[in-house]
């Protein structure tokens, strides 16, 4: 094989690996964590959306996966947590 061709293949593999390494972001909204790379994004939702009253809290939880900006999996949903005195 030609030396230039080998260098191009190695550079392409290094670029592909670099595009797969995620940046981790922790949000202060209740525990949401986002893994964001060039080719994909994974969000583990755990967010407090607001309160209907003092005893009812609304949460948003689940997992969302995006590849090239297109959502391929999303099971995140809202639910209510009721507290009693």
């Amino acid at each position: 094989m030609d030396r230039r061709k080998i260098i191009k293949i190695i550079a392409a593999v290094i670029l592909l690996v670099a595009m797969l390494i995620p940046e981790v972001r922790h949000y202060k909204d209740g525990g949401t964590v986002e893994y964001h790379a060039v080719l994909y994004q994974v969000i583990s939702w755990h967010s407090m959306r607001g309160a209907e009253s003092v005893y009812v809290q609304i949460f948003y939880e689940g997992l969302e996966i995006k590849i090239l900006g297109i959502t391929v999996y999303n099971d995140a949903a809202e639910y209510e947590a009721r507290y009693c005195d």
Side-chain angles (χ1 to χ4, degrees):
M1 247 200 241
D2 187 16
R3 184 180 175 112
R4 288 184 179 178
K5 192 171 188 178
I6 292 172
I7 292 173
K8 288 180 183 179
I9 291 172
I10 291 172
V13 168
I14 290 172
L15 183 63
L16 181 65
V17 169
M19 293 171 68
L20 293 174
I21 298 173
E23 173 188 350
V24 180
R25 299 176 185 161
H26 296 273
Y27 293 102
K28 295 181 180 181
D29 63 348
T32 299
V33 179
E34 177 183 2
Y35 302 92
H36 185 85
V38 175
L39 297 177
Y40 69 93
Q41 180 179 15
V42 177
I43 305 170
S44 176
W45 292 101
H46 184 77
S47 174
M48 293 188 297
R49 292 291 177 144
E52 290 181 3
S53 70
V54 177
Y55 301 109
V56 178
Q57 182 69 45
I58 299 173
F59 290 96
Y60 188 71
E61 284 192 341
L63 183 69
E64 183 176 356
I65 301 173
K66 295 181 182 182
I67 298 176
L68 296 173
I70 300 169
T71 302
V72 294
Y73 181 77
N74 187 359
D75 74 342
E78 286 186 353
Y79 75 93
E80 291 181 355
R82 296 186 181 273
Y83 303 101
C84 299
D85 244 1

